[in-house]
Amino acid sequence: MVEDSYKHQGMRRRLIQKLRDKGIESARVLEVMGKIPRHIFFENAFLEHAYQDKAFPIGHGQTISQPYTVAFQSQLLNVQAGDKVLEIGTGSGYQAMVLHDLGAKLYTIEYQQALYERTSAFLPKLGYKISFFQGDGSKGLAIHEPFDKIIVTAGAPTVPNSLIAQLKVGGCLVIPVGDNNKQQMLRLTKTTEKEISKEVFADFSFVPLKGDEGWN
Ligand code: SAM
């Protein structure tokens, strides 16, 4: 059982207020993030970092995303209960917990074997029923397509064709696209089998999306 003290809860409330102040409007996203004990991803020596609005190293050269980024992407994805969602870049599993608690039937894929092993063992111990995969998510997850929604939590050089192909009509893909330094957050909605509408949001800075349809 994870300890969630009044101190943790107080720090988390302040973080949620900060996200609201920065413009996150989705009450559902704020409510879900307000309940998840992000400090479970931090070793004791770094606990005070858990509720700061910043990314943090999780080993293997990767990071747990900044809370604002998780909130922003989750808000854009607009998960409805029962949506079949693919997350690319499992990492720590924090974003996966948020999507699950928003009601997603979640599939998540991680490139790095060690991170995949760690997170796919950890989240089920907390009671999370999520389907974990190891591999190159830049190509999506063809054996389980189509998806209502796809979220990419690493920066891509271009929009991978496979991800568009694996979306249902009416579904959307939230993905940061750009160069090594910064990426524009995009939401692409598959309006018909052949048409996509594109919305462009703010710039972010992600670790690179590796693989065949990423930075290979
Ligand atoms: N969603 C994560 C979280 O909540 O901690 C964020 C993790 S980090 C910002 C991005 C992750 O994407 C890293 O764990 C990285 O190994 C992974 N990644 C990079 N390229 C990938 C690919 N082609 N397929 C799957 N995962 C990939």
Side-chain angles (χ1 to χ4, degrees):
M1 194 57 199
V2 178
E3 195 218 350
D4 193 23
S5 68
Y6 286 128
K7 185 176 167 204
H8 296 132
Q9 291 169 27
M11 290 194 291
R12 199 153 66 240
R13 263 196 304 277
R14 285 192 288 282
L15 171 64
I16 298 304
Q17 186 54 48
K18 184 170 280 180
L19 298 180
R20 209 177 269 121
D21 294 344
K22 285 182 163 182
I24 300 298
E25 292 175 335
S26 165
R28 287 175 60 233
V29 168
L30 292 170
E31 188 191 342
V32 161
M33 290 182 67
K35 288 187 181 152
I36 295 179
R38 190 171 184 261
H39 61 272
I40 58 176
F41 296 104
F42 291 72
E43 289 174 21
N44 278 342
F46 299 112
L47 268 186
E48 78 273 19
H49 296 269
Y51 294 108
Q52 293 177 10
D53 188 24
K54 60 179 193 186
F56 200 78
I58 54 172
H60 312 284
Q62 300 301 330
T63 54
I64 178 170
S65 296
Q66 183 181 349
Y68 176 74
T69 306
V70 171
F72 194 90
Q73 286 197 285
S74 301
Q75 181 168 279
L76 286 184
L77 205 64
N78 191 21
V79 174
Q80 303 300 312
D83 275 353
K84 186 176 168 191
V85 176
L86 173 63
E87 178 197 27
I88 292 152
T90 313
S92 67
Y94 177 63
Q95 171 78 76
M97 288 172 78
V98 172
L99 296 170
H100 172 279
D101 289 356
L102 284 167
K105 181 175 188 295
L106 187 64
Y107 297 73
T108 182
I109 180 164
E110 170 56 48
Y111 197 79
Q112 291 205 35
Q113 181 72 27
L115 278 178
Y116 157 76
E117 283 175 13
R118 190 166 85 186
T119 303
S120 63
F122 183 48
L123 265 53
K125 282 190 198 142
L126 303 175
Y128 279 79
K129 291 195 172 58
I130 290 173
S131 301
F132 294 93
F133 298 84
Q134 190 278 323
D136 177 7
S138 75
K139 297 185 287 191
L141 188 61
I143 48 166
H144 288 291
E145 62 142 338
F147 297 95
D148 292 299
K149 288 166 186 169
I150 301 178
I151 174 173
V152 182
T153 69
T158 54
V159 177
N161 290 330
S162 299
L163 301 189
I164 298 290
Q166 291 174 26
L167 267 185
K168 291 181 191 173
V169 171
C172 71
L173 164 66
V174 171
I175 181 169
V177 174
D179 59 25
N180 276 332
N181 295 321
K182 62 176 184 176
Q183 304 90 32
Q184 282 184 321
M185 192 64 73
L186 306 181
R187 179 167 60 190
L188 301 148
T189 303
K190 194 166 183 175
T191 48
T192 70
E193 207 47 72
K194 294 203 171 126
E195 286 166 312
I196 300 288
S197 76
K198 173 172 153 182
E199 297 162 275
V200 180
F201 300 91
D203 285 345
F204 287 82
S205 184
F206 281 82
V207 296
L209 179 74
K210 296 179 181 154
D212 286 359
E213 296 190 49
W215 296 96
N216 50 23

